[in-house]
Amino acid sequence: MTTNGTTTGKQLFTTLTADGKLTLEVAESEFPAPTGNQVLVKMEAAPINPSDLAILTSAADFETAEYTSGKVVAAMPEPFLTGNKGRHGQRLPAGNEGAGTVIATGDGDMAKALMGARVACVPGHAFSQYAIADAMMCIPLGEHSSETGASSFVNPMTALGFVETAKMEGHSAIIHLAAASNLGQMLNRICVEDGMKLVNIVRKEEHVELLKSQGATYVVNSSAPTYMADLRAAIAETGAYLGFDPIGGGQASDGVLKAMEQVASSQMGEFSRYGSNQQKKMYIYGRLDLSPTILTPSYGLQWSIAGWLLTPFLQRAGMETVGRMRSRVQANLTTTFASHYKAKVTLEGMLEKVAICDYRQMKTGEKYLVTPWG
C-alpha cells in the first residue's frame, strides 16, 4: 500500500538484547520513496543463505524458544551474546538478496531504466514485501521468474569472484572446502568452463559422486582415512596453493595448508628449516563452524590466511570486471548459475519451529526460499 510517497508492507526484523534474548518478528514497515539511483522492489522471492543466518539465528537455542504467530524469542548463549555486543538493542532487517519487480525509481538514469522490470537485487533487507535497492546492484532478469533469479547475486558473484581472485593473484588452480554446497557446485561448473583446475574437498562419499557426475576431476573426501594422501596427490597434480574455506572454525584450513607445504617441500632440492619458499594462502569466507580457527606450526613461514567478502572484492575488481561477471550470470541463470530449493516458506513460515530448526543446519542441497507474499 502506498500513501504520500511511502509504501507499507510486512518485513522481518531480528533484535538481540543485552539480557540474551533474540527476537525474530514479522511487522508492518514503511518504505520511503526511492531517490537518485535507488529502486523500490516488490519482493517476490528471497533465499535463506548461510550469510543471512549470522544475524537471523546465530547460535541461539531454537529448540526451547517461545513461538507465537509471526514471532519467536530464543535464548542466545555465551560467548555469542557478548560477541554480538555491537548489535544489542538494534532492530535489524535481514535477507541479503532476492528478486522482484521494480515498482518505483529515483530520478537517476540507471534507476529509471529498470522501471517495471523484474530484477535480482542485494538490498540487505530482502525478507520483506518491499525493498529499496541500489540500481547498480540489480541484475535485470528478463523473462526469468523471480524464483529463478532469487539467488543470482551472492553465490554466482562469489563463485566468479573466487576465480577472478585466483587470476588476479597469479594462480591457475583453486582448492575449495565444503565443495558440494550450492556455491561449490556452481564454482565447479565455472572452473570446468574456464579451464581453471579445482580441488574439491567434501565430507561424504555421496558428495564425491555428485561432483564427479558434474564433471569435477579432483574430489577429495575429508572423512576418508586416506584424506591427507589424496589431498597431497591432488595438489601435486594441480599446483593448487590458493584455497577458499567457508567452514572457518576448527582445523579445516590448517589441514589444507599442511598438505600444500608437504607437497611444496617434497619438490625442493634441499632442506630448509624455514620450510618451502612456496607461498600458500587460504581465504576464509564463512563460519559454518563457529569455533576458533586452529593453526599449527607445520607449514613453514610462507603462508597467509585472510578473510574474503563479496562487496569489498567487487569494489576492488572495478566496474569493468563486475559488468563482465554480471553479464555472465544473466546469460547462464538456468545452467551454470541455477539454484535449487528444498522448500518455500512465507515470512511467518520462516519463524515456525520446524522450518528454523531445519534451515539453520545449512545442509547440502537443502536451501529454503522465502516468498513474502505467500
Side-chain angles (χ1 to χ4, degrees):
M1 189 176 83
T2 307
T3 47
N4 310 330
T6 63
T7 304
T8 312
K10 288 192 295 192
Q11 184 173 11
L12 183 113
F13 290 97
T14 165
T15 311
L16 177 63
T17 48
D19 61 356
K21 285 192 167 56
L22 178 71
T23 302
L24 304 179
E25 59 181 329
V26 175
E28 283 283 310
S29 196
E30 285 194 349
F31 302 86
T35 59
N37 255 337
Q38 290 178 333
V39 293
L40 178 67
V41 183
K42 183 179 180 183
M43 298 302 291
E44 289 150 6
I48 303 176
N49 286 324
S51 52
D52 296 314
L53 297 178
I55 65 163
L56 205 58
T57 57
S58 183
D61 178 3
F62 285 95
E63 286 296 337
T64 61
E66 201 181 300
Y67 292 86
T68 49
S69 179
K71 185 176 180 179
V72 52
V73 182
M76 181 74 79
E78 289 292 5
F80 305 98
L81 175 61
T82 308
N84 277 296
K85 203 171 178 178
R87 65 171 284 204
H88 288 180
Q90 290 186 53
R91 193 164 176 254
L92 303 172
N96 280 326
E97 69 175 332
T101 305
V102 175
I103 57 167
T105 76
D107 50 17
D109 292 342
M110 208 170 180
K112 287 202 287 204
L114 294 173
M115 184 61 199
R118 189 176 288 123
V119 297
C121 56
V122 236
H125 55 275
F127 301 146
S128 176
Q129 291 184 325
Y130 298 95
I132 293 277
D134 182 338
M136 201 195 115
M137 298 291 268
C138 289
I139 297 179
L141 293 174
E143 295 303 302
H144 295 298
S145 69
S146 287
E147 192 172 316
T148 301
S151 294
S152 58
F153 209 99
V154 176
N155 279 355
M157 295 295 267
T158 298
L160 284 171
F162 290 172
V163 175
E164 292 292 337
T165 299
K167 288 176 185 168
M168 281 173 177
E169 297 183 8
H171 294 270
S172 58
I174 293 171
I175 296 175
H176 188 222
L177 284 140
S181 66
N182 204 309
L183 189 148
Q185 293 179 49
M186 233 173 244
L187 180 62
N188 179 53
R189 294 193 286 268
I190 295 165
C191 288
V192 170
E193 287 170 22
D194 290 10
M196 170 75 70
K197 290 175 192 146
L198 177 66
V199 177
N200 299 279
I201 300 176
V202 295
R203 275 188 311 210
K204 295 179 179 169
E205 204 46 48
E206 68 243 39
H207 294 158
V208 175
E209 300 310 319
L210 173 76
L211 285 168
K212 289 208 158 162
S213 75
Q214 295 180 15
T217 311
Y218 306 95
V219 193
V220 181
N221 183 353
S222 62
S223 304
T226 54
Y227 170 52
M228 286 303 278
D230 297 341
L231 182 55
R232 285 195 297 269
I235 293 169
E237 222 169 300
T238 56
Y241 291 99
L242 175 71
F244 292 88
D245 173 14
I247 300 162
Q251 285 185 265
S253 278
D254 177 68
V256 177
L257 287 168
K258 212 175 275 182
M260 287 176 177
E261 175 62 11
Q262 287 165 358
V263 173
S265 51
S266 74
Q267 294 168 350
M268 281 170 68
E270 58 198 61
F271 169 77
S272 162
R273 72 179 102 169
Y274 303 115
S276 75
N277 50 16
Q278 171 66 53
Q279 184 59 48
K280 302 160 289 289
K281 187 171 191 177
M282 291 300 292
Y283 276 111
I284 292 180
Y285 72 94
R287 276 276 166 202
L288 293 172
D289 180 341
L290 294 167
S291 68
T293 305
I294 299 167
L295 302 174
T296 54
S298 49
Y299 14 90
L301 291 166
Q302 286 285 83
W303 59 273
S304 62
I305 282 205
W308 195 99
L309 196 60
L310 181 57
T311 311
F313 165 77
L314 295 175
Q315 286 160 351
R316 196 167 73 242
M319 280 297 291
E320 193 190 331
T321 303
V322 173
R324 182 163 43 79
M325 289 163 68
R326 279 172 39 165
S327 302
R328 185 167 173 183
V329 175
Q330 247 168 325
N332 302 284
L333 255 188
T334 54
T335 52
T336 310
F337 302 105
S339 286
H340 304 284
Y341 304 99
K342 172 186 181 173
K344 289 186 217 175
V345 285
T346 59
L347 291 171
E348 289 83 3
M350 276 180 83
L351 305 186
E352 286 173 12
K353 185 172 183 176
V354 174
I356 288 190
C357 293
D358 192 22
Y359 66 65
R360 73 173 311 192
Q361 293 178 50
M362 301 183 276
K363 284 188 188 158
T364 300
E366 300 201 353
K367 202 187 258 293
Y368 272 59
L369 186 71
V370 180
T371 52
W373 295 89

